[in-house]
Amino acid sequence: VKNNLRESSGHSDKVNLEVIRPMPLEKVEIFKYMEDWASDNILTLLKPVEKCWQPQDFLPDPASNGFLEQVKELRARTMEIPDDILIILAASMVTEEALPTYQSRFNATDVLCDETGIDSTPWAIWTRSWSAKENRHGYLLNKYLYLSRRVDTRQIEKTIQYLIGSGMDLGTGTNPYLGLIYTSFQERATFVSHSNTARLVKKHGDIKLAQICGTIAADEKRHESAYTKIVEKLFELDPNETIMAFADVMRRKISMPGHLMYDGYDQNLFVNVSTVSSRIGAYSALDYIDVMEHFVDKWKVEKLTGLTSDGKKAQDFVCGSKNEKAGGEK
């Protein structure tokens, strides 16, 4: 039965089984204290729905008399896109479509959770609004690739179902310090990936698809700004716990949200997609290092003071890792 369940979900045994350090209970008050600040500095980053772009802004209009001609033009544009780029676009879309998993992870996180589904805390409001904005990304890429006829739509749909059914092992547990640092990294990584994909697509002549990838990248950049600000505030209020969380995230190495991706055939699908991504310049190990170094500098980790002995060890680890990576690139 166990094997059958694993096969039906696509779930691998390769998950993070390390014990994750929970957030000390007294730290809840820090997040309570931050609520007014979050309302003034984080929720203000949210655009009203009426001012947001929608997927239909970039797609052929089914109500238009020229719909079929628009679809024909879309297909002509995508004919020149190499298969490797389409693989990355499909994988990005599958990852974006697994949004239900990401929101459920937030709702399983201490303090950040939306207990009733309509909580009025700034953390709950942000999570719902963030999810609503992110929901457009997968939808848009899905429809564009569907209309292109360049991908196996049913196989992609199966992969999405497998991924949502498999869940996601981030190594952050219910600890909001870990979760927020992870998400800061992930939003920046996604921004980099979509930006690079936009450049690759533009090179092959599909300006509209390049615009789509660039627009999604801009959204990810805005979300990165929000999560980065929250962690920045945590470093200000609680540098010791925050630097230890940062070190924990780095020690575990950051897993991408789609790391359990499976299509019913390839148990190493995510690894194989990552290889393609690195080869064509969409996202690589060097980008991973750049993102990590960005946050070490952004959060001024080297300048932290007043740390406990454990905090200093975490600081040394984070800064040492950065210097080690930098030295290896020379």
Side-chain angles (χ1 to χ4, degrees):
V1 174
K2 179 181 178 183
N3 289 336
N4 289 340
L5 288 173
R6 186 181 296 115
E7 182 180 351
S8 67
S9 67
H11 204 298
S12 168
D13 285 330
K14 299 175 183 178
V15 293
N16 190 344
L17 298 178
E18 293 180 69
V19 175
I20 299 165
R21 188 165 57 89
M23 179 184 71
L25 290 177
E26 63 270 19
K27 301 298 183 181
V28 171
E29 292 306 314
I30 290 176
F31 286 87
K32 294 289 185 185
Y33 174 78
M34 287 174 61
E35 287 188 357
D36 287 342
W37 172 87
S39 294
D40 294 337
N41 293 274
I42 302 302
L43 296 188
T44 51
L45 296 174
L46 294 170
K47 280 186 178 181
V49 173
E50 296 302 326
K51 293 185 177 181
C52 289
W53 63 266
Q54 297 301 330
Q56 188 54 55
D57 298 336
F58 301 89
L59 297 169
D61 182 3
S64 166
N65 290 332
F67 174 67
L68 294 180
E69 187 60 33
Q70 292 170 28
V71 172
K72 185 177 179 180
E73 291 172 359
L74 184 157
R75 290 174 177 167
R77 291 195 304 268
T78 59
M79 284 302 296
E80 300 303 318
I81 298 176
D83 288 349
D84 280 354
I85 296 177
L86 288 171
I87 288 171
I88 300 310
L89 284 164
S92 295
M93 180 262 284
V94 168
T95 303
E96 296 278 7
E97 291 276 42
L99 182 63
T101 301
Y102 314 147
Q103 185 167 9
S104 69
R105 287 304 304 136
F106 264 108
N107 283 336
T109 303
D110 294 338
V111 183
L112 304 179
C113 59
D114 183 2
E115 292 183 356
T116 66
I118 54 171
D119 282 3
S120 59
T121 68
W123 312 119
I125 293 171
W126 168 264
T127 299
R128 292 195 301 268
S129 300
W130 168 79
S131 298
K133 287 168 65 65
E134 288 278 345
N135 185 60
R136 301 167 303 157
H137 300 173
Y139 184 93
L140 174 54
L141 289 173
N142 194 325
K143 290 295 180 289
Y144 198 93
L145 292 178
Y146 167 79
L147 290 172
S148 76
R149 292 202 303 192
R150 290 290 312 280
V151 299
D152 184 338
T153 300
R154 191 174 193 280
Q155 191 61 44
I156 286 175
E157 291 168 346
K158 282 171 54 182
T159 305
I160 294 169
Q161 185 173 351
Y162 272 122
L163 182 56
I164 295 175
S166 293
M168 186 169 59
D169 174 39
L170 304 181
T172 58
T174 62
N175 188 324
Y177 287 81
L178 298 175
L180 289 164
I181 290 169
Y182 172 90
T183 309
S184 299
F185 183 102
Q186 185 52 48
E187 292 287 1
R188 185 168 184 83
T190 309
F191 157 71
V192 170
S193 177
H194 282 301
S195 296
N196 287 339
T197 304
R199 174 180 51 79
L200 292 168
V201 168
K202 185 176 181 180
K203 180 180 176 181
H204 291 281
D206 194 337
I207 303 303
K208 177 64 72 173
L209 183 54
Q211 181 188 7
I212 287 171
C213 293
T215 300
I216 293 173
D219 264 5
E220 305 294 4
K221 183 66 175 174
R222 191 174 296 108
H223 299 160
E224 176 207 333
S225 176
Y227 291 109
T228 301
K229 282 186 176 183
I230 296 172
V231 177
E232 201 168 47
K233 190 67 173 178
L234 286 172
F235 268 115
E236 175 190 325
L237 298 174
D238 190 10
N240 206 69
E241 187 68 28
T242 309
I243 187 57
M244 288 195 292
F246 193 5
D248 279 356
V249 170
M250 284 182 58
R251 284 191 187 98
R252 296 171 188 277
K253 302 205 183 314
I254 294 176
S255 298
M256 297 296 107
H259 69 285
L260 295 179
M261 191 179 296
Y262 177 64
D263 60 355
Y265 303 100
D266 187 356
Q267 292 286 354
N268 297 308
L269 180 59
F270 182 75
V271 172
N272 292 331
V273 168
S274 297
T275 299
V276 174
S277 178
S278 181
R279 184 173 68 242
I280 69 174
Y283 189 82
S284 69
L286 291 178
D287 291 311
Y288 179 100
I289 293 169
D290 286 344
V291 171
M292 182 271 286
E293 291 181 349
H294 166 81
F295 286 116
V296 174
D297 293 336
K298 178 69 176 177
W299 292 327
K300 300 179 174 63
V301 173
E302 292 178 304
K303 297 180 181 179
L304 294 176
T305 58
L307 302 174
T308 65
S309 60
D310 286 341
K312 289 177 182 176
K313 289 178 184 177
Q315 182 185 40
D316 289 343
F317 174 79
V318 170
C319 296
S321 295
K322 177 196 172 184
N323 294 333
E324 181 180 325
K325 300 292 186 188
E329 290 177 36
K330 293 179 181 178

